[in-house]
Amino acid sequence: MAFVTSSLRRLNANVLVGPALAEARAYRGRWLVGDAITAVTILAVVVPQGLAYGELAGLPPVAGLYAALFPLLLYPLIASSRRLMVGPESGLAILTASALAPLAAGHSSNYAALAAMLALLMGAIMIVGGILRLGMLADFLSQPVLVGFMNGVAVILIASQLPRFFGISVSEESALGKLWGVLANLGDASWRTVTLGLVLLGVLALSARLGPKLPGALVVLVAAAAAVVLLDLDRNGVAVIGSVPKGLPHLTYPSVGFAQFGDLLPLAAGLALVGFSEAILTARAFAEQHGETVDANRELVALWIGNVGVGLTQGFPTSASQSRTAVADSSRMRTQFAQILAGVSVAVFLLFFTGLLKNVPQVALAAIVIYAALGLFEERQLRALYRVDRTEFGLAIATFSGVVLFGMLTGILVAVGLSLAVFLRGVVRPHDAVLGALDGVDGFHEMNEGQNTEAAPGVVVYRFDGPLFFANADFFLTRALHLLEGQPLRCFVLDLEAVTTIDVTAARAVEKLRAATTELGASFHVARATGPVRRHLHTTGLADTIGEDNFHPSVRTAVEVCRAH
């Protein structure tokens, strides 16, 4: 209870908004032009992306703009990151669709409420995480997991857009099902739609080559809408977005039944983990470039307030956007006030300019998502993992396969489970070594097989590289006892420098090793025991059994004592 109380004190209103208020007081009028330019740039990117991601989430396109509005306005007030851009994001959009499709089957009218409630629950989990200071949980998603996840997401995103890109109706929900549905129905494809989509992909690629400040997605929307009007494409099989509601979203609490609430909670937990992980990794990457720091727990709270706003305004779960963060960072952005201005710009667009979207073809949104997905592929990192560590490469491939075959949430859970298994394997069976002396080299070093493993005549030094506890105590004892065999022994030195902790079971294993050593007529010594380990040995009484004179600050000291006796 004291821990929770202290955490709540750290999250009071003054602490949360204090940095934003300080930044507001320090704001300079000359910065406004740069922030305003950045806001317009963000608007040019967030409108096409929001529309695309709204459809990607299984909602009307305008839901993507609703999902952009409040995160842009509220996130900067609390966030520790001065660079991160938040709002609708492709990965969470498709996660939302894949999570809600089974729940909303036969109840499509309830889908929007489920999506909004999912955002509220995701936000609630994030605020609890911020209060309990659980930001460290993101560290459990290793780099191989993230590489495999992003590649899997790229495949799912592309597969999800192929029916729209080819102008084909496909009922399957899974990535492989959509791919097969497109291949099986290619004869029904609208080749005008495909041709337009390929041209738009080319425009996006050209825009990217011309520089990050050019809003390629906005260019695509304008060019595609112009093509529809000039060539009458909407009357020749090219589907368009159609009428987009004008005005701001209404504040409303999503009406969801209690049974569905229970179904949504575990899904929200998975989305919270994914959304926070992507946000904190992106925030840290950009903060490092500018010599700044990011508070993971503050980010949880900031993402919470953004998702609360989304949940009350008919949106869907949101997180950080890597692409918009990169665009903003490369522009003339001076402060996070640019993000607030971008939120105001989105509100103005919703009030007065949604009519401009009527003739935008759906294939344009598909092209935007597909091009963004192509940028998520990280084949270079996969090749690097293959060269460096085959186990971590296998973990990345397992994550990739799990995401593609079973969906994002299941794939992530499998990947995290495999990561923990790899971690536990390293803890339960850590590296160990026998130390010895090398001619012409100072100190004691790990000896390879075939080398003289004695640190001195009749002296064996054994180092255990990991926490010593119940799960590896037998392994430790077996390995150490093996070193007592087959050679005359005067001293056994146990190097505990790398042992960060020890429990009762492991202490008994050390006592058995000491007893076996003394039965052979040799002395038992401990070198470089850390403070926590030594205190535990004193608490168990083992330190008295070993003898204070047999504890040494270094391996050299222990070996010299052995030589003197």
Side-chain angles (χ1 to χ4, degrees):
M1 182 60 70
F3 171 75
V4 174
T5 303
S6 65
S7 298
L8 287 172
R9 282 199 296 268
R10 294 183 183 184
L11 293 179
N12 64 55
N14 289 332
V15 171
L16 289 177
V17 302
L21 292 176
E23 187 171 276
R25 286 193 292 268
Y27 197 84
R28 299 290 180 267
R30 64 179 182 275
W31 297 348
L32 183 59
V33 173
D35 283 345
I37 292 174
T38 300
V40 174
T41 304
I42 295 171
L43 177 68
V45 178
V46 79
V47 168
Q49 284 188 346
L51 295 171
Y53 298 159
E55 284 208 335
L56 195 60
L59 293 160
V62 72
L65 299 182
Y66 295 163
L69 181 58
F70 274 91
L72 288 171
L73 293 172
L74 299 177
Y75 169 83
L77 300 178
I78 296 177
S80 64
S81 170
R82 311 322 298 162
R83 308 283 166 183
L84 195 66
M85 294 287 135
V86 295
E89 187 269 329
S90 58
L92 284 185
I94 199 166
L95 272 173
T96 298
S98 62
L100 295 184
L103 298 181
H107 303 281
S108 58
S109 60
N110 196 35
Y111 190 96
L114 290 173
M117 178 57 74
L118 193 59
L120 283 176
L121 290 175
M122 177 178 166
I125 291 170
M126 285 179 163
I127 186 62
V128 171
I131 291 172
L132 299 180
R133 287 178 274 173
L134 298 180
M136 62 180 180
L137 290 180
D139 296 336
F140 282 92
L141 288 176
S142 64
Q143 186 64 22
V145 167
L146 292 173
V147 170
F149 173 73
M150 294 307 295
N151 282 279
V153 167
V155 171
I156 290 180
L157 288 175
I158 292 172
S160 71
Q161 297 305 302
L162 288 179
R164 187 179 290 119
F165 194 85
F166 283 89
I168 297 172
S169 177
V170 176
S171 59
E172 288 83 357
E173 294 295 335
S174 68
L176 295 181
K178 287 184 181 295
L179 179 59
W180 176 251
V182 169
L183 293 175
N185 295 281
L186 274 180
D188 299 328
S190 168
W191 296 107
R192 287 186 179 87
T193 301
V194 175
T195 302
L196 179 59
L198 291 173
V199 170
L200 296 178
L201 284 175
V203 172
L204 288 167
L206 180 61
S207 299
R209 283 184 173 273
L210 293 177
K213 295 182 182 180
L214 183 65
L218 182 62
V219 172
V220 160
L221 286 192
V222 173
V228 167
V229 173
L230 294 175
L231 302 177
D232 238 7
L233 294 179
D234 56 330
R235 297 183 182 179
N236 290 279
V238 177
V240 296
I241 292 177
S243 178
V244 176
K246 181 182 293 186
L248 299 178
H250 300 294
L251 285 173
T252 179
Y253 184 80
S255 178
V256 173
F258 183 77
Q260 290 178 314
F261 183 89
D263 292 331
L264 289 173
L265 193 57
L267 299 175
L271 264 65
L273 176 62
V274 174
F276 170 64
S277 299
E278 289 189 339
I280 196 64
L281 287 171
T282 304
R284 286 174 177 172
F286 282 89
E288 287 177 4
Q289 295 177 12
H290 296 276
E292 299 167 351
T293 59
V294 175
D295 184 333
N297 295 308
R298 285 179 65 88
E299 291 304 306
L300 274 170
V301 179
L303 292 170
W304 156 71
I305 195 170
N307 275 288
V308 167
V310 166
L312 296 176
T313 53
Q314 309 150 55
F316 55 90
T318 61
S319 181
S321 169
Q322 294 176 336
S323 59
R324 294 196 294 276
T325 301
V327 168
D329 191 61
S330 65
S331 68
R332 295 176 59 184
M333 176 180 179
R334 294 300 301 265
T335 69
Q336 277 284 29
F337 184 56
Q339 192 159 185
I340 296 176
L341 288 176
V344 174
S345 301
V346 170
V348 172
F349 185 88
L350 284 168
L351 285 170
F352 303 109
F353 298 107
T354 56
L356 300 175
L357 303 173
K358 179 180 178 180
N359 293 313
V360 173
Q362 292 187 4
V363 70
L365 304 184
I368 291 170
V369 174
I370 289 173
Y371 189 78
L374 291 173
L376 296 178
F377 279 110
E378 299 182 345
E379 69 282 355
R380 291 183 180 178
Q381 293 200 45
L382 280 174
R383 290 199 299 267
L385 287 173
Y386 183 81
R387 290 194 303 269
V388 174
D389 191 316
R390 300 294 170 84
T391 298
E392 294 199 324
F393 172 78
L395 186 59
I397 294 299
T399 305
F400 170 80
S401 303
V403 169
V404 173
L405 295 175
F406 306 113
M408 293 189 188
L409 284 176
T410 304
I412 289 171
L413 293 175
V414 170
V416 171
L418 289 173
S419 295
L420 291 176
V422 171
F423 167 75
L424 289 175
R425 187 189 68 174
V427 172
V428 174
R429 294 293 182 268
H431 177 266
D432 60 350
V434 177
L435 307 184
L438 297 174
D439 291 339
V441 180
D442 187 40
F444 297 89
H445 307 273
E446 183 175 335
M447 307 303 291
N448 297 320
E449 188 176 351
Q451 291 180 305
N452 178 18
T453 57
E454 290 185 322
V459 178
V460 171
V461 179
Y462 176 60
R463 188 185 70 208
F464 193 77
D465 296 339
L468 193 49
F469 66 118
F470 65 91
N472 59 25
D474 285 341
F475 171 75
F476 157 79
L477 184 59
T478 300
R479 299 278 287 182
L481 290 177
H482 179 70
L483 298 175
L484 304 182
E485 302 171 358
Q487 57 183 331
L489 186 68
R490 294 169 51 203
C491 286
F492 187 96
V493 179
L494 178 60
D495 182 4
L496 295 181
E497 180 187 32
V499 176
T500 55
T501 185
I502 187 171
D503 67 3
V504 173
T505 304
R508 289 177 180 175
V510 174
E511 165 56 19
K512 291 178 182 179
L513 175 61
R514 185 206 64 81
T517 301
T518 56
E519 284 180 7
L520 295 175
S523 58
F524 183 81
H525 301 260
V526 174
R528 300 193 289 188
T530 62
V533 170
R534 189 155 183 172
R535 283 193 295 272
H536 187 85
L537 294 178
H538 275 285
T539 302
T540 59
L542 184 54
D544 294 333
T545 304
I546 294 172
E548 285 296 327
D549 292 341
N550 291 328
F551 281 87
H552 307 279
S554 68
V555 172
R556 178 183 294 280
T557 305
V559 172
E560 287 176 353
V561 170
C562 289
R563 284 172 175 163
H565 291 79

